[in-house]
Amino acid sequence: MDKKRFQAEVVLLVCTRKDGTCGKKGARLRSRLAEAVEAEGFKKRIRVLPTGCLDACGCGPAVLDSASQTLYTDVGKDDAADLVRKTARRHGLKT
């Protein structure tokens, strides 16, 4: 087994569970978040990854900031840039 250090300081996990509320909305949101991370200049500091259920069924799509253990629910695709900026501020990230 090879071991590598994970490069990002913050990981945003986006629920993309296929049979729940998040499904397609979560996949679209994940794409928007990834675009916002790049546009805001945090590509090497924040990673956006898909995940299974975050136990927020009925309140999705849901995003978990793994570094602060903050769960965001009812996140719309138009909230992506704001969520990335808030995350960067919370963790003191600079571009």
Side-chain angles (χ1 to χ4, degrees):
M1 171 178 9
D2 290 336
K3 183 177 169 182
K4 292 185 178 183
R5 188 176 184 307
F6 198 69
Q7 298 297 317
E9 295 171 46
V10 178
V11 177
L12 295 176
L13 297 170
V14 183
C15 180
T16 56
R17 184 174 172 200
K18 305 242 183 294
D19 62 342
T21 307
C22 298
K24 288 181 184 178
K25 289 181 183 179
R28 284 191 297 268
L29 175 60
R30 182 177 154 248
S31 293
R32 284 281 178 102
L33 284 167
E35 290 168 6
V37 164
E38 189 163 347
E40 295 290 328
F42 295 111
K43 189 173 180 180
K44 294 187 179 192
R45 316 279 311 268
I46 300 174
R47 291 275 313 260
V48 181
L49 300 174
T51 190
C53 186
L54 292 170
D55 288 332
C57 299
C59 300
V63 178
L64 177 66
D65 173 344
S66 65
S68 68
Q69 295 296 300
T70 302
L71 180 67
Y72 298 95
T73 58
D74 277 326
V75 182
K77 60 186 178 197
D78 296 330
D79 298 325
D82 188 44
L83 195 146
V84 167
R85 286 190 293 270
K86 283 181 183 179
T87 300
R89 276 194 308 273
R90 173 179 294 112
H91 298 289
L93 302 180
K94 305 250 191 266
T95 55

